Amino acid sequence: MKTPKKPLPADLKFGTLFTDHMVSARFDVEHGWSAMEVSPYGKLALDPAASVLHYGQAIFEGMKAFSTQDGRTAIFRPERHAKRFAASAERTCMEQVPEQLFLDAVLALVRADEAYVPDAAGTSLYIRPTLIATEPFLGVRPAQQYLFFVIACPVGPYYAEGFKPVSIWVEQEYVRAAQGGLGSAKVGANYVASLYAAEQAKKAGYAQVLWTDAVEHRYIDEVGTMNVFIRLKDEVITPPIGSTTLAGVTRDSVLTLIKEFGLRVTERRITVDEVVEAHGRGQLLEIFGTGTGAVISPVGKLGFKDKTIELGKEAGELSLRLFDELQAIQRGTKADRHDWLRYLG
Ligand SMILES: *Cc1c(COP(=O)(O)O)cnc(C)c1O
Protein backbone atom coordinates (compact mmCIF):
# COMPACT_ATOMS: atom_id res chain seq x y z
CA MET A 1 0.00 0.00 0.00
CA LYS A 2 1.41 3.37 -1.02
CA THR A 3 1.21 6.02 1.69
CA PRO A 4 0.43 9.51 0.35
CA LYS A 5 3.70 11.40 0.89
CA LYS A 6 4.18 14.77 2.54
CA PRO A 7 5.82 17.07 0.01
CA LEU A 8 9.39 18.21 0.78
CA PRO A 9 9.90 22.00 0.87
CA ALA A 10 12.16 23.15 -1.97
CA ASP A 11 14.62 24.82 0.42
CA LEU A 12 14.86 21.86 2.79
CA LYS A 13 18.17 21.80 4.70
CA PHE A 14 19.42 18.62 6.39
CA GLY A 15 18.11 18.21 9.91
CA THR A 16 15.73 21.16 10.04
CA LEU A 17 12.29 19.66 9.40
CA PHE A 18 11.06 17.07 11.89
CA THR A 19 8.19 14.62 11.65
CA ASP A 20 5.00 14.85 13.74
CA HIS A 21 5.98 12.33 16.39
CA MET A 22 8.74 11.18 18.69
CA VAL A 23 9.17 7.98 20.67
CA SER A 24 10.65 7.92 24.14
CA ALA A 25 11.36 5.71 27.14
CA ARG A 26 12.85 6.49 30.54
CA PHE A 27 15.19 4.59 32.81
CA ASP A 28 15.79 4.86 36.51
CA VAL A 29 17.57 2.42 38.81
CA GLU A 30 14.44 1.63 40.82
CA HIS A 31 12.06 0.85 37.95
CA GLY A 32 14.33 -0.07 35.04
CA TRP A 33 13.11 0.90 31.55
CA SER A 34 9.59 2.27 31.14
CA ALA A 35 7.41 1.17 28.24
CA MET A 36 8.07 3.27 25.14
CA GLU A 37 5.65 6.04 24.32
CA VAL A 38 4.75 7.56 20.95
CA SER A 39 3.89 11.23 21.43
CA PRO A 40 3.65 14.42 19.39
CA TYR A 41 7.11 15.87 18.58
CA GLY A 42 7.80 18.47 21.26
CA LYS A 43 10.15 20.07 23.72
CA LEU A 44 11.79 18.19 26.60
CA ALA A 45 11.58 19.30 30.21
CA LEU A 46 14.98 18.86 31.85
CA ASP A 47 16.20 19.72 35.30
CA PRO A 48 18.99 22.34 35.01
CA ALA A 49 21.14 19.95 37.06
CA ALA A 50 20.60 17.07 34.59
CA SER A 51 24.01 15.46 34.24
CA VAL A 52 23.98 15.51 30.42
CA LEU A 53 24.18 19.32 30.60
CA HIS A 54 27.28 19.26 32.80
CA TYR A 55 29.33 16.15 32.12
CA GLY A 56 28.17 15.26 28.64
CA GLN A 57 26.70 11.75 28.91
CA ALA A 58 25.04 11.82 25.48
CA ILE A 59 25.17 9.28 22.65
CA PHE A 60 23.24 8.95 19.42
CA GLU A 61 22.74 7.00 16.22
CA GLY A 62 22.00 8.04 12.66
CA MET A 63 20.19 5.71 10.28
CA LYS A 64 17.79 5.92 7.36
CA ALA A 65 14.44 4.63 6.13
CA PHE A 66 13.70 4.54 2.40
CA SER A 67 10.67 4.32 0.17
CA THR A 68 11.36 1.31 -1.99
CA GLN A 69 10.30 1.17 -5.62
CA ASP A 70 7.36 -1.15 -4.83
CA GLY A 71 5.86 1.48 -2.51
CA ARG A 72 6.94 -0.11 0.76
CA THR A 73 9.19 1.38 3.47
CA ALA A 74 12.48 -0.20 4.53
CA ILE A 75 14.99 0.64 7.25
CA PHE A 76 18.67 0.05 6.46
CA ARG A 77 20.50 -2.32 8.88
CA PRO A 78 18.76 -1.21 12.13
CA GLU A 79 20.14 -4.15 14.18
CA ARG A 80 23.67 -3.01 13.47
CA HIS A 81 22.82 0.49 14.72
CA ALA A 82 21.17 -0.99 17.83
CA LYS A 83 24.36 -2.91 18.65
CA ARG A 84 26.56 0.13 18.14
CA PHE A 85 24.23 2.21 20.33
CA ALA A 86 24.66 -0.37 23.11
CA ALA A 87 28.45 -0.27 22.67
CA SER A 88 28.46 3.54 22.83
CA ALA A 89 26.38 3.37 26.05
CA GLU A 90 28.83 0.95 27.60
CA ARG A 91 31.86 3.13 26.77
CA THR A 92 30.20 6.19 28.34
CA CYS A 93 28.89 4.35 31.44
CA MET A 94 25.29 4.96 30.39
CA GLU A 95 22.41 2.51 30.80
CA GLN A 96 22.22 0.33 27.68
CA VAL A 97 18.93 0.51 25.79
CA PRO A 98 17.82 -3.11 25.23
CA GLU A 99 18.20 -3.93 21.54
CA GLN A 100 14.52 -4.85 21.21
CA LEU A 101 13.39 -1.55 22.76
CA PHE A 102 15.68 0.33 20.36
CA LEU A 103 14.29 -1.53 17.33
CA ASP A 104 10.66 -1.25 18.50
CA ALA A 105 11.04 2.50 19.06
CA VAL A 106 12.59 3.10 15.63
CA LEU A 107 9.90 1.01 13.97
CA ALA A 108 7.08 2.72 15.90
CA LEU A 109 8.30 6.15 14.81
CA VAL A 110 8.70 5.22 11.15
CA ARG A 111 5.23 3.65 11.23
CA ALA A 112 3.65 6.70 12.84
CA ASP A 113 5.30 9.08 10.36
CA GLU A 114 5.51 6.89 7.27
CA ALA A 115 3.99 9.71 5.19
CA TYR A 116 7.25 11.61 5.77
CA VAL A 117 9.42 8.94 4.13
CA PRO A 118 10.02 10.72 0.83
CA ASP A 119 10.16 8.79 -2.41
CA ALA A 120 12.09 10.98 -4.87
CA ALA A 121 15.54 9.76 -5.96
CA GLY A 122 18.22 10.31 -3.31
CA THR A 123 15.78 11.16 -0.51
CA SER A 124 15.17 9.33 2.75
CA LEU A 125 13.93 9.64 6.30
CA TYR A 126 16.89 10.23 8.63
CA ILE A 127 16.32 8.68 12.07
CA ARG A 128 18.09 9.95 15.18
CA PRO A 129 17.93 7.70 18.29
CA THR A 130 19.48 9.55 21.26
CA LEU A 131 20.28 8.70 24.89
CA ILE A 132 20.94 11.36 27.53
CA ALA A 133 21.58 11.34 31.28
CA THR A 134 18.74 13.15 33.04
CA GLU A 135 19.51 12.65 36.73
CA PRO A 136 19.61 15.99 38.58
CA PHE A 137 22.92 15.50 40.39
CA LEU A 138 26.15 17.49 40.21
CA GLY A 139 28.50 14.83 41.59
CA VAL A 140 30.76 13.17 39.06
CA ARG A 141 29.71 9.56 38.51
CA PRO A 142 27.55 7.75 35.94
CA ALA A 143 23.97 9.04 36.17
CA GLN A 144 21.15 6.80 37.41
CA GLN A 145 18.37 8.23 35.24
CA TYR A 146 18.25 8.33 31.45
CA LEU A 147 15.98 9.41 28.64
CA PHE A 148 16.01 7.52 25.35
CA PHE A 149 14.19 9.18 22.48
CA VAL A 150 13.94 8.84 18.72
CA ILE A 151 13.19 11.68 16.31
CA ALA A 152 13.30 11.77 12.52
CA CYS A 153 13.57 14.19 9.64
CA PRO A 154 12.92 13.79 5.91
CA VAL A 155 16.05 14.62 3.94
CA GLY A 156 16.40 15.71 0.34
CA PRO A 157 19.08 14.40 -2.01
CA TYR A 158 22.52 14.98 -0.40
CA TYR A 159 24.06 15.81 -3.76
CA ALA A 160 21.41 18.20 -5.09
CA GLU A 161 24.09 19.83 -7.26
CA GLY A 162 25.60 16.58 -8.49
CA PHE A 163 27.97 13.99 -7.05
CA LYS A 164 31.03 16.25 -6.83
CA PRO A 165 34.29 15.72 -4.95
CA VAL A 166 35.11 18.02 -2.01
CA SER A 167 38.35 19.61 -0.78
CA ILE A 168 39.78 18.21 2.45
CA TRP A 169 42.30 19.74 4.84
CA VAL A 170 44.85 17.24 6.22
CA GLU A 171 44.69 18.05 9.95
CA GLN A 172 48.08 17.72 11.65
CA GLU A 173 47.59 19.96 14.64
CA TYR A 174 44.17 19.43 16.26
CA VAL A 175 42.92 16.06 17.48
CA ARG A 176 39.46 14.49 17.33
CA ALA A 177 40.16 11.20 19.10
CA ALA A 178 43.23 9.76 20.81
CA GLN A 179 44.21 6.13 21.46
CA GLY A 180 42.10 4.93 24.36
CA GLY A 181 39.66 7.83 24.00
CA LEU A 182 36.05 7.98 22.82
CA GLY A 183 36.64 7.69 19.08
CA SER A 184 35.00 4.28 18.77
CA ALA A 185 31.74 5.47 20.39
CA LYS A 186 29.11 7.64 18.71
CA VAL A 187 29.09 10.35 21.38
CA GLY A 188 28.29 14.03 21.17
CA ALA A 189 31.70 14.75 22.73
CA ASN A 190 33.51 13.59 19.57
CA TYR A 191 31.59 16.14 17.58
CA VAL A 192 32.38 19.08 19.82
CA ALA A 193 36.03 17.95 19.73
CA SER A 194 35.95 18.20 15.93
CA LEU A 195 34.28 21.59 15.48
CA TYR A 196 37.23 23.94 15.93
CA ALA A 197 39.45 22.24 13.37
CA ALA A 198 36.52 21.94 10.95
CA GLU A 199 35.78 25.68 11.29
CA GLN A 200 39.44 26.59 10.66
CA ALA A 201 39.43 24.36 7.59
CA LYS A 202 36.22 25.97 6.32
CA LYS A 203 37.77 29.42 6.62
CA ALA A 204 40.61 28.17 4.44
CA GLY A 205 38.14 26.90 1.82
CA TYR A 206 38.00 23.21 2.76
CA ALA A 207 34.76 21.29 3.29
CA GLN A 208 36.12 19.01 6.02
CA VAL A 209 39.30 17.68 7.62
CA LEU A 210 41.21 14.43 7.31
CA TRP A 211 41.94 13.30 10.88
CA THR A 212 45.36 11.88 11.61
CA ASP A 213 46.51 10.03 14.74
CA ALA A 214 46.85 12.07 17.93
CA VAL A 215 50.50 11.20 18.65
CA GLU A 216 52.48 11.66 15.43
CA HIS A 217 49.82 13.00 13.04
CA ARG A 218 51.03 10.47 10.47
CA TYR A 219 48.37 7.76 10.36
CA ILE A 220 45.00 8.44 8.77
CA ASP A 221 41.94 7.83 11.00
CA GLU A 222 38.76 9.28 9.45
CA VAL A 223 37.54 12.09 7.21
CA GLY A 224 35.14 14.63 8.73
CA THR A 225 32.54 12.50 10.49
CA MET A 226 33.00 9.62 8.08
CA ASN A 227 35.17 6.56 7.65
CA VAL A 228 37.75 6.87 4.91
CA PHE A 229 38.77 4.65 1.98
CA ILE A 230 41.87 5.17 -0.15
CA ARG A 231 42.18 3.47 -3.51
CA LEU A 232 45.70 2.86 -4.76
CA LYS A 233 46.46 1.18 -8.06
CA ASP A 234 45.75 -2.37 -6.94
CA GLU A 235 44.54 -2.09 -3.36
CA VAL A 236 41.68 -0.35 -1.57
CA ILE A 237 42.66 0.56 1.99
CA THR A 238 40.62 1.60 5.02
CA PRO A 239 42.04 2.13 8.51
CA PRO A 240 41.13 -0.65 10.98
CA ILE A 241 38.46 -0.09 13.63
CA GLY A 242 40.08 0.87 16.92
CA SER A 243 39.72 3.47 19.63
CA THR A 244 40.17 6.34 17.15
CA THR A 245 37.81 5.16 14.40
CA LEU A 246 34.09 4.45 14.51
CA ALA A 247 32.71 1.15 13.22
CA GLY A 248 30.60 2.71 10.45
CA VAL A 249 27.66 0.73 9.13
CA THR A 250 28.28 2.24 5.70
CA ARG A 251 31.97 1.27 6.01
CA ASP A 252 30.93 -2.33 6.65
CA SER A 253 28.47 -2.31 3.71
CA VAL A 254 31.12 -0.77 1.43
CA LEU A 255 33.72 -3.39 2.47
CA THR A 256 31.23 -6.10 1.48
CA LEU A 257 30.46 -4.47 -1.88
CA ILE A 258 34.11 -3.85 -2.79
CA LYS A 259 34.86 -7.54 -2.17
CA GLU A 260 31.85 -8.43 -4.32
CA PHE A 261 33.24 -6.22 -7.09
CA GLY A 262 36.35 -8.45 -7.00
CA LEU A 263 38.76 -5.74 -5.81
CA ARG A 264 41.43 -6.26 -3.16
CA VAL A 265 40.45 -4.39 0.00
CA THR A 266 42.63 -4.24 3.12
CA GLU A 267 41.88 -2.98 6.62
CA ARG A 268 45.26 -1.60 7.66
CA ARG A 269 46.92 1.53 8.95
CA ILE A 270 48.06 3.93 6.27
CA THR A 271 50.16 7.07 6.64
CA VAL A 272 49.73 10.44 4.98
CA ASP A 273 53.24 9.93 3.54
CA GLU A 274 52.18 6.69 1.84
CA VAL A 275 49.29 8.53 0.20
CA VAL A 276 51.55 11.39 -0.93
CA GLU A 277 54.14 8.96 -2.31
CA ALA A 278 51.50 6.91 -4.13
CA HIS A 279 50.26 10.14 -5.68
CA GLY A 280 53.82 10.95 -6.77
CA ARG A 281 54.03 7.60 -8.57
CA GLY A 282 50.65 8.14 -10.20
CA GLN A 283 49.13 5.31 -8.14
CA LEU A 284 46.64 7.24 -5.98
CA LEU A 285 43.35 6.66 -7.77
CA GLU A 286 40.68 7.91 -5.36
CA ILE A 287 39.82 8.79 -1.78
CA PHE A 288 36.28 8.81 -0.41
CA GLY A 289 34.42 9.02 2.90
CA THR A 290 31.54 6.71 3.89
CA GLY A 291 28.67 7.52 6.24
CA THR A 292 24.89 7.27 6.51
CA GLY A 293 24.32 10.95 5.65
CA ALA A 294 26.23 11.32 2.38
CA VAL A 295 26.63 7.55 1.73
CA ILE A 296 29.82 8.16 -0.32
CA SER A 297 31.71 11.45 -0.30
CA PRO A 298 34.50 11.64 -2.90
CA VAL A 299 37.59 13.72 -2.13
CA GLY A 300 38.88 15.95 -4.95
CA LYS A 301 41.75 17.72 -3.25
CA LEU A 302 43.96 17.34 -0.17
CA GLY A 303 45.39 20.47 1.41
CA PHE A 304 48.57 20.62 3.56
CA LYS A 305 50.47 23.54 5.09
CA ASP A 306 53.00 23.46 2.24
CA LYS A 307 51.26 21.74 -0.70
CA THR A 308 48.04 20.47 -2.22
CA ILE A 309 47.26 17.24 -4.01
CA GLU A 310 44.65 17.28 -6.76
CA LEU A 311 42.63 14.12 -7.27
CA GLY A 312 40.32 15.41 -9.97
CA LYS A 313 37.13 17.38 -10.43
CA GLU A 314 34.93 14.33 -11.05
CA ALA A 315 34.11 11.51 -8.64
CA GLY A 316 36.23 8.39 -9.08
CA GLU A 317 34.93 5.26 -10.76
CA LEU A 318 34.73 3.20 -7.54
CA SER A 319 33.05 6.04 -5.57
CA LEU A 320 30.40 6.34 -8.23
CA ARG A 321 29.84 2.60 -8.52
CA LEU A 322 29.51 2.19 -4.73
CA PHE A 323 27.14 5.16 -4.48
CA ASP A 324 24.88 3.78 -7.22
CA GLU A 325 24.99 0.23 -5.89
CA LEU A 326 24.17 1.16 -2.28
CA GLN A 327 21.35 3.46 -3.35
CA ALA A 328 19.93 0.79 -5.64
CA ILE A 329 19.88 -1.74 -2.78
CA GLN A 330 18.35 0.82 -0.41
CA ARG A 331 15.61 1.68 -2.91
CA GLY A 332 14.93 -1.94 -3.74
CA THR A 333 15.86 -1.58 -7.42
CA LYS A 334 18.63 -4.17 -6.90
CA ALA A 335 18.39 -7.39 -4.90
CA ASP A 336 19.09 -7.10 -1.16
CA ARG A 337 21.72 -9.85 -1.36
CA HIS A 338 23.06 -9.30 2.16
CA ASP A 339 19.77 -8.99 4.04
CA TRP A 340 20.29 -5.32 4.90
CA LEU A 341 16.71 -4.04 4.57
CA ARG A 342 14.00 -4.35 7.22
CA TYR A 343 10.58 -3.71 5.71
CA LEU A 344 7.73 -2.25 7.74
CA GLY A 345 5.26 -5.13 8.00
C1 LIG B 1 28.45 8.10 12.42
C2 LIG B 1 29.91 8.20 12.15
C3 LIG B 1 30.53 7.54 11.06
C4 LIG B 1 29.75 6.81 10.00
O1 LIG B 1 29.01 5.73 10.48
P1 LIG B 1 27.79 5.18 9.61
O2 LIG B 1 27.26 4.07 10.46
O3 LIG B 1 28.34 4.71 8.33
O4 LIG B 1 26.83 6.31 9.44
C5 LIG B 1 31.90 7.63 10.94
N1 LIG B 1 32.64 8.33 11.81
C6 LIG B 1 32.09 8.99 12.85
C7 LIG B 1 32.97 9.75 13.77
C8 LIG B 1 30.72 8.94 13.06
O5 LIG B 1 30.19 9.60 14.10
Side-chain angles (χ1 to χ4, degrees), residues 124-148:
S124 58
L125 183 75
Y126 182 83
I127 306 161
R128 171 53 60 89
T130 309
L131 180 66
I132 58 171
T134 50
E135 186 188 2
F137 174 66
L138 290 184
V140 179
R141 57 145 170 77
Q144 298 186 346
Q145 294 170 16
Y146 293 92
L147 172 67
F148 166 56

Side-chain angles (χ1 to χ4, degrees), residues 25-319:
R26 289 182 178 275
F27 175 91
D28 69 53
V29 228
E30 261 167 68
H31 306 95
W33 280 104
S34 71
M36 71 178 189
E37 187 191 350
V38 181
S39 60
Y41 183 97
K43 298 201 185 329
L44 303 176
L46 276 184
D47 193 293
S51 32
V52 62
L53 302 175
H54 304 273
Y55 308 126
Q57 275 186 299
I59 61 168
F60 63 92
E61 270 304 319
M63 58 209 272
K64 281 177 172 175
F66 298 89
S67 279
T68 55
Q69 64 154 6
D70 58 5
R72 291 190 291 164
T73 298
I75 305 173
F76 191 70
R77 307 190 75 180
E79 299 87 359
R80 192 105 188 169
H81 288 277
K83 288 207 166 68
R84 188 170 67 189
F85 198 59
S88 298
E90 183 176 20
R91 181 63 183 83
T92 49
C93 296
M94 301 177 79
E95 185 62 30
Q96 289 187 18
V97 175
E99 204 175 313
Q100 199 55 52
L101 172 58
F102 179 99
L103 295 171
D104 288 349
V106 166
L107 212 69
L109 183 62
V110 177
R111 248 192 212 117
D113 289 332
E114 198 176 1
Y116 278 98
V117 186
D119 54 11
T123 63
S124 58
L125 183 75
Y126 182 83
I127 306 161
R128 171 53 60 89
T130 309
L131 180 66
I132 58 171
T134 50
E135 186 188 2
F137 174 66
L138 290 184
V140 179
R141 57 145 170 77
Q144 298 186 346
Q145 294 170 16
Y146 293 92
L147 172 67
F148 166 56
F149 62 88
V150 189
I151 55 175
C153 36
V155 294
Y158 201 91
Y159 294 102
E161 276 115 49
F163 187 59
K164 290 283 180 235
V166 295
S167 300
I168 296 292
W169 173 253
V170 181
E171 184 55 63
Q172 299 189 294
E173 184 181 352
Y174 299 109
V175 171
R176 183 194 79 94
Q179 279 294 326
L182 292 172
S184 61
K186 208 165 178 76
V187 304
N190 284 336
Y191 283 70
V192 73
S194 76
L195 290 179
Y196 192 80
E199 284 303 296
Q200 300 293 107
K202 267 173 207 154
K203 278 183 204 149
Y206 293 89
Q208 263 299 349
V209 308
L210 187 74
W211 296 106
T212 55
D213 76 274
V215 181
E216 300 176 89
H217 290 298
R218 288 177 58 220
Y219 293 96
I220 294 170
D221 280 343
E222 293 201 33
V223 61
T225 57
M226 288 181 284
N227 295 111
V228 64
F229 284 75
I230 295 144
R231 185 182 188 194
L232 305 185
K233 194 157 173 288
D234 45 21
E235 182 188 17
V236 186
I237 299 149
T238 190
I241 295 307
S243 54
T244 61
T245 44
L246 192 85
V249 177
T250 318
R251 174 187 183 276
D252 182 78
S253 310
V254 159
L255 278 171
T256 301
L257 292 178
I258 296 177
K259 284 176 201 156
E260 238 180 25
F261 294 167
L263 297 174
R264 188 160 82 95
V265 57
T266 325
E267 293 176 68
R268 68 165 172 89
R269 296 185 87 191
I270 177 166
T271 60
V272 173
D273 289 345
E274 184 179 346
V275 171
V276 173
E277 280 158 23
H279 179 256
R281 290 195 307 273
Q283 297 194 335
L284 175 62
L285 301 187
E286 39 188 308
I287 300 179
F288 54 90
T290 65
T292 295
V295 188
I296 305 289
S297 180
V299 174
K301 177 177 151 185
L302 290 180
F304 302 76
K305 283 198 187 82
D306 54 350
K307 60 176 173 289
T308 58
I309 286 182
E310 298 285 348
L311 282 117
K313 299 225 176 329
E314 298 302 324
E317 169 211 1
L318 181 60
S319 307

